[in-house]
């Protein structure tokens, strides 16, 4: 088994462009969520998003390429450029590959083009429309500009696309298809079409009056997630071949699996899991009123109880083992937790 290390990173995010800027802002507690500025969202039920701000693609890309690309491709390209520069990689074309992860490709370009077409007197669609909406073109543009001739793949697995891009890149290296891989994830789906759908599914937060506090994934008052956009990239290499750097982060493990249930059953499980969490919270409050110092301990108990409840229903052995591992680690972190809660 090869030891795979990360030698370069790139980021284009709602709280900063560039890894250093991103890290500085995230550690300072900055929020990238605000009222949507890229189009008029005043008539939408959801009017907030995590948009990439102060973004001028001409600062990073050739103007000719900008005209040919969707924003998600631009985010991918810029993140990849930063990651490659940071890695100081001398590319060996046939031993270097790229994996792109994107869920919805150029959906915003499709939506805005159709909207313009429907209201136009002269029905025209530009010749660059198709290349701008294809997911694999993002990887192709990066590969062309950097003479990458190894494996070139694009994965589209919803919210897991970026993570699966890393996983696929590592698999290409473990099987000997490449010595170096560029793993990229990018998305730009901000348009009324997507927001209407997710809002009607009651998936998005509607805290339009408080964008900066709308994303609260583990809060009891959570009312949905916040849609966003951006791109990230990693250069991963075989540690035995890396001689130009002394210390690098390591990819310890990677993998993917699928839960063989319908979406309806999946969301039913989530509803049951939420009921489990609420039951645990009620039980804890009945046993004793927690002080602020005990809050962390109670959160860990709730997570452990919820994970173990979900484990009993999981049909996938890999997922089951993963949940058990998390539950065990949480139990170790709270050894003195109240015994009145059964795991």
């Amino acid at each position: 088994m090869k030891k795979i290390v990360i030698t370069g990173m790139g980021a284009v995010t709602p709280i900063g462009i560039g890894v250093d800027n991103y890290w500085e802002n995230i550690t300072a507690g900055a929020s990238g969520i605000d009222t949507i500025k890229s189009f008029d969202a005043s008539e939408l039920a959801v009017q907030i998003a995590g948009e990439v701000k102060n973004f001028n693609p001409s600062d990073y890309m050739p103007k000719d390429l900008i005209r040919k690309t969707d924003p998600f491709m631009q985010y991918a390209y810029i993140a990849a450029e930063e990651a490659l520069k940071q890695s100081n990689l001398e590319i060996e074309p046939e031993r270097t590959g790229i994996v792109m992860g994107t869920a919805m490709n150029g959906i915003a370009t499709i939506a805005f083009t159709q909207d313009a077409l429907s209201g136009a007197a002269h029905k025209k669609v530009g010749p660059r429309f198709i290349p701008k909406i294809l997911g694999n073109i993002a990887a192709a543009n990066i590969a062309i500009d950097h003479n990458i001739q190894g494996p070139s793949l694009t994965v589209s697995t919803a919210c897991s696309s970026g993570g699966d891009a890393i996983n696929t890149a590592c698999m290409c290296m473990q099987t000997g298809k490449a010595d170096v891989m560029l793993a990229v994830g990018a998305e730009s789906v901000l348009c009324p079409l997507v927001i209407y759908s997710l809002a009607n599914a009651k998936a998005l937060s509607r805290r339009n009056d408080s964008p900066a506090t709308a994303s609260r994934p583990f809060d009891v008052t959570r009312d949905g997630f916040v849609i966003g956009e951006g791109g990230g990239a990693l250069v991963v290499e075989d540690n035995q071949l890396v001689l130009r750097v002394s210390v690098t982060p390591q990819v310890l493990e990677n993998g993917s699996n699928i839960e063989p249930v319908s979406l309806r059953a999946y969301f039913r499980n989530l509803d049951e899991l939420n009921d489990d969490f609420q039951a645990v919270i009620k039980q804890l409050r009945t046993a004793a009123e927690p002080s602020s110092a005990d809050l962390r301990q109670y959160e860990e108990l709730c997570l452990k109880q919820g994970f173990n409840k979900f484990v009993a229903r999981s049909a996938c052995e890999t997922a089951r083992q993963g949940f058990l591992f998390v539950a065990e680690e949480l139990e170790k972190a709270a050894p003195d937790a109240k015994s009145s809660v059964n795991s």
Side-chain angles (χ1 to χ4, degrees):
M1 182 72 76
K2 294 179 180 177
K3 181 180 178 181
I4 297 174
V5 295
I6 300 167
T7 58
M9 300 180 291
V12 178
T13 81
I15 58 171
I17 300 173
V19 170
D20 290 341
N21 193 16
Y22 165 70
W23 183 248
E24 180 181 349
N25 286 327
I26 200 170
T27 53
S31 173
I33 301 168
D34 203 346
T35 302
I36 294 171
K37 304 291 196 305
S38 58
F39 62 89
D40 183 5
S42 59
E43 296 184 1
L44 300 181
V46 175
Q47 301 167 14
I48 58 176
E51 294 179 291
V52 176
K53 300 167 185 63
N54 303 315
F55 178 69
N56 184 359
S58 61
D59 292 339
Y60 310 93
M61 302 171 61
K63 291 184 178 180
D64 182 58
L65 186 58
I66 295 171
R67 290 193 293 269
K68 299 176 182 177
T69 52
D70 179 271
F72 93 90
M73 298 178 182
Q74 296 169 10
Y75 300 154
Y77 185 95
I78 295 165
E81 288 283 306
E82 182 183 18
L84 288 168
K85 182 178 180 181
Q86 189 183 95
S87 72
N88 292 315
L89 177 68
E90 292 184 11
I91 292 176
E92 295 184 28
E94 295 181 359
R95 298 299 301 166
T96 305
I98 181 171
V99 183
M100 177 70 203
T102 180
M104 301 185 74
N105 308 321
I107 183 68
T109 291
I110 295 172
F112 289 126
T113 301
Q114 180 61 59
D115 188 53
L117 183 64
S118 300
H122 302 286
K123 307 299 184 183
K124 285 187 177 182
V125 176
R128 296 188 178 94
F129 172 71
I130 296 299
K132 287 178 74 172
I133 67 172
L134 298 177
N136 69 296
I137 300 298
N141 287 327
I142 297 167
I144 289 169
D145 280 8
H146 292 279
N147 195 26
I148 294 173
Q149 300 178 23
S152 179
L153 303 166
T154 298
V155 296
S156 182
T157 48
C159 300
S160 301
S161 298
D164 282 347
I166 300 172
N167 181 44
T168 304
C170 292
M171 287 194 294
C172 285
M173 295 178 63
Q174 294 291 3
T175 56
K177 296 183 181 297
D179 297 321
V180 181
M181 292 293 295
L182 179 61
V184 188
E187 210 72 65
S188 182
V189 300
L190 299 182
C191 63
L193 178 68
V194 173
I195 293 176
Y196 268 124
S197 178
L198 290 173
N200 287 336
K202 303 190 186 309
L204 298 180
S205 171
R206 303 195 178 201
R207 297 181 185 278
N208 298 321
D209 58 339
S210 183
T213 65
S215 181
R216 48 180 77 184
F218 303 110
D219 194 280
V220 69
T221 61
R222 176 186 182 274
D223 67 335
F225 71 89
V226 179
I227 195 170
E229 63 178 352
L234 297 177
V235 175
V236 290
E237 303 186 51
D238 183 343
N239 184 61
Q240 292 184 344
L241 303 178
V242 180
L243 302 176
R244 63 188 183 281
V245 290
S246 58
V247 180
T248 55
Q250 180 183 352
V251 180
L252 292 176
E253 190 56 82
N254 58 85
S256 63
N257 56 64
I258 186 168
E259 186 75 9
V261 296
S262 68
L263 282 176
R264 180 176 296 178
Y266 172 76
F267 285 114
R268 185 167 61 247
N269 278 350
L270 289 185
D271 288 339
E272 292 173 2
L273 184 58
N274 182 60
D275 292 340
D276 293 337
F277 280 129
Q278 296 302 323
V280 175
I281 292 171
K282 184 177 180 180
Q283 185 176 354
L284 286 170
R285 286 175 176 170
T286 301
E289 187 65 29
S291 66
S292 59
D294 293 330
L295 183 59
R296 174 70 176 174
Q297 190 177 73
Y298 286 119
E299 288 175 347
E300 289 165 348
L301 275 171
C302 291
L303 285 170
K304 178 179 181 295
Q305 179 82 346
F307 275 128
N308 277 336
K309 288 280 189 179
F310 187 74
V311 165
R313 292 192 294 270
S314 177
C316 179
E317 180 62 27
T318 305
R320 183 156 50 241
Q321 292 302 321
F323 280 122
L324 284 171
F325 171 78
V326 173
E328 289 168 0
E329 290 302 305
L330 288 171
E331 187 174 27
K332 293 176 186 176
D336 298 325
K338 291 185 180 297
S339 59
S340 59
V341 178
N342 298 320
S343 60

